[in-house]
Amino acid sequence: MMEKGYKGIFSKMGEGLLEKFIEDLKREIEEKPQDPELLFKLGVAYTRAGKVSQAREVYKKLKEIDPQKAGELLDIIYEV
């Protein structure tokens, strides 16, 4: 029987892929800091990784660039 909270190898692998995706997005954003799609993806990735405070920071930036996308991100952040 599995212990409560056991995530297994596939969940662990998924966490690693998500962290890599976040790092890749951050590098892309360094080159295109005003790209609303990249910022949106980063905010969603942070949310999925349980990094809600970082997702909120992305929301604040996105709100200045694309208020509609920012609203979509905010909905995702508060789904969690």
Side-chain angles (χ1 to χ4, degrees):
M1 178 171 255
M2 302 279 178
E3 292 179 33
K4 186 175 181 179
Y6 177 76
K7 293 184 178 182
I9 189 167
F10 295 108
S11 293
K12 199 71 164 156
M13 184 172 50
E15 288 174 17
L17 291 173
L18 186 55
E19 289 300 323
K20 182 179 180 337
F21 183 61
I22 288 170
E23 292 306 314
D24 290 346
L25 283 170
K26 287 167 53 177
R27 278 192 289 279
E28 285 187 64
I29 290 169
E30 285 178 12
E31 294 180 23
K32 300 176 190 176
Q34 301 295 310
D35 187 318
E37 283 299 318
L38 291 175
L39 289 167
F40 179 78
K41 289 177 185 179
L42 181 61
V44 171
Y46 276 143
T47 302
R48 298 293 182 241
K51 298 179 177 185
V52 177
S53 62
Q54 288 98 322
R56 286 185 187 131
E57 290 303 313
V58 172
Y59 161 77
K60 290 175 189 176
K61 286 183 192 176
L62 190 55
K63 188 175 171 186
E64 296 173 11
I65 298 167
D66 187 333
Q68 182 176 349
K69 274 279 188 222
E72 292 174 30
L73 177 57
L74 192 61
D75 288 344
I76 292 168
I77 290 170
Y78 285 103
E79 278 179 5
V80 175

